[in-house]
Amino acid sequence: MKQKSKLGKFNLFLLVVLVIALVANIVVISTKSVPVAADANANEAAEDVAVIDAFAAGTYGGVEFASIDDVVKYYADAYNKTKTQTREYIDSEGNTQVWYTMLGEEKLQVNQIMIEGKENSMINNLVPGIVGSLYSPGLNGLSPSSNRNPNEDKDDAGTTSLQTCLLTADDLLAANVKDNGDGTITLQLQPKQVNMSARGMDAQGRLFNSLGDIGGVVGSINVLSWAQGTTEENCLVDYRGGYATVTIDTASGLVTTADYHMEAHIAVNHANVAVIKDKSATLLVTYDVHYPASDDYLMETKGCKVK
């Protein structure tokens, strides 16, 4: 049976959160809650800035890295080798399944919610709780990944396998290497900024489980319309500031631990929601995946266990 990715459903979830935030704003106004000061730069295009250390050529863990191209090649080799590793699991129905050995724990948070350029403590306290009740963490292979079953792990177009690394040196804004002194090295990779990223299909999507195109989902929400402009003009998802931290065993060439921290800066402008007219909302979605997933996470989220 084909497993549906939770991130594939996230576009609808995202718009629900934004609608809730806009509606909550009316409640805030009616109760005369005191807003936080507006960020004067909230609507300005943000610069793509490196948030990790710069690359320094050298030998790390006995491996020579002369350029960022070498970092990407080493990462790709480890990614590819790690994604050949599978094991047997017992699923929630008691059936044996063959999935990736390296599966990840997902955590999604919504922060910095602003309506009309202003932050409000009531909204900030309300929405995260709603997010927790709506979002169900997934269980997939090494990022980017749409499935825990290697045979069904495809990009957002459904045509290219994600068992093979698609990342290139040109996709990266920054990268670095650290020798841990224990037979492992840690790579950090920060992809370049992308608007409306799709998994496996651009700089962000070749490293992260990005959200895909939200335009089609917006059109399906009857209560949402635009005071002016089009969906493409009014719905912006700016991916920037995220990075991956990946530890690799130099003897085996396998990934031992990894953390992928993705940031999506989302803005919806000129929105009409029922009686609410021509409002704008922005928020920050952080999506973190840690590898490997714990036995407790497997059982709590999917009711499965290693055989």
Side-chain angles (χ1 to χ4, degrees):
M1 182 174 64
K2 187 171 183 179
Q3 166 215 351
K4 292 184 179 179
S5 167
K6 292 298 180 184
L7 262 290
K9 298 178 180 178
F10 182 71
N11 294 336
L12 180 58
F13 161 79
L14 165 63
L15 267 299
V16 169
V17 170
L18 286 169
V19 168
I20 290 169
L22 287 166
V23 172
N25 188 53
I26 298 301
V27 176
V28 168
I29 291 172
S30 66
T31 57
K32 297 183 180 180
S33 178
V34 179
V36 178
D39 180 357
N41 300 315
N43 295 323
E44 294 182 4
E47 183 182 358
D48 198 13
V49 176
V51 298
I52 62 175
D53 292 339
F55 173 75
T59 300
Y60 300 87
V63 181
E64 184 177 355
F65 293 90
S67 66
I68 288 181
D69 292 79
D70 292 335
V71 178
V72 173
K73 183 180 184 305
Y74 195 85
Y75 170 76
D77 288 345
Y79 174 103
N80 295 343
K81 191 169 185 179
T82 301
K83 279 201 157 181
T84 66
Q85 307 293 303
T86 59
R87 64 167 54 160
E88 292 184 336
Y89 297 82
I90 303 298
D91 67 16
S92 60
E93 298 176 351
N95 300 313
T96 298
Q97 303 288 351
V98 178
W99 298 333
Y100 287 121
T101 299
M102 184 68 80
L103 299 175
E105 299 185 4
E106 297 181 1
K107 182 179 180 181
L108 184 141
Q109 293 182 303
V110 176
N111 306 286
Q112 299 177 23
I113 304 162
M114 304 184 77
I115 310 296
E116 295 294 291
K118 294 181 180 180
E119 218 173 352
N120 188 284
S121 59
M122 182 181 291
I123 295 174
N124 286 336
N125 291 333
L126 173 68
V127 174
I130 297 172
V131 169
S133 65
L134 291 177
Y135 179 70
S136 177
L139 182 66
N140 297 306
L142 196 62
S143 182
S145 177
S146 63
N147 210 292
R148 50 188 172 267
N149 183 339
N151 297 327
E152 297 178 1
D153 194 9
K154 308 286 185 181
D155 66 4
D156 275 1
T159 57
T160 302
S161 172
L162 296 175
Q163 288 182 267
T164 301
C165 183
L166 303 173
L167 190 72
T168 69
D170 191 54
D171 290 332
L172 296 185
L173 181 67
N176 63 66
V177 188
K178 175 186 176 184
D179 186 346
N180 298 318
D182 60 358
T184 67
I185 59 174
T186 296
L187 313 182
Q188 282 194 312
L189 311 163
Q190 181 181 347
K192 293 176 180 176
Q193 182 177 22
V194 172
N195 182 51
M196 292 293 190
S197 173
R199 180 171 35 211
M201 303 180 73
D202 51 59
Q204 291 276 329
R206 286 189 279 271
L207 190 64
F208 299 129
N209 286 323
S210 47
L211 308 179
D213 179 18
I214 70 171
V217 177
V218 174
S220 70
I221 301 178
N222 295 330
V223 298
L224 184 62
S225 63
W226 309 117
Q228 66 180 65
T230 64
T231 298
E232 290 72 22
E233 292 169 336
N234 289 322
C235 293
L236 307 174
V237 184
D238 182 19
Y239 294 82
R240 55 180 164 80
Y243 58 92
T245 303
V246 183
T247 299
I248 300 167
D249 181 272
T250 56
S252 68
L254 294 171
V255 174
T256 59
T257 62
D259 289 280
Y260 291 77
H261 172 73
M262 184 189 81
E263 295 191 4
H265 302 256
I266 298 163
V268 172
N269 300 307
H270 303 298
N272 299 328
V273 182
V275 298
I276 306 166
K277 302 299 182 183
D278 199 6
K279 295 294 181 180
S280 298
T282 64
L283 56 85
L284 169 64
V285 172
T286 59
Y287 173 63
D288 293 282
V289 190
H290 171 75
Y291 300 87
S294 68
D295 290 342
D296 287 345
Y297 181 88
L298 296 179
M299 183 56 64
E300 290 170 4
T301 60
K302 301 301 172 188
C304 61
K305 62 181 180 180
V306 176
K307 186 172 181 179

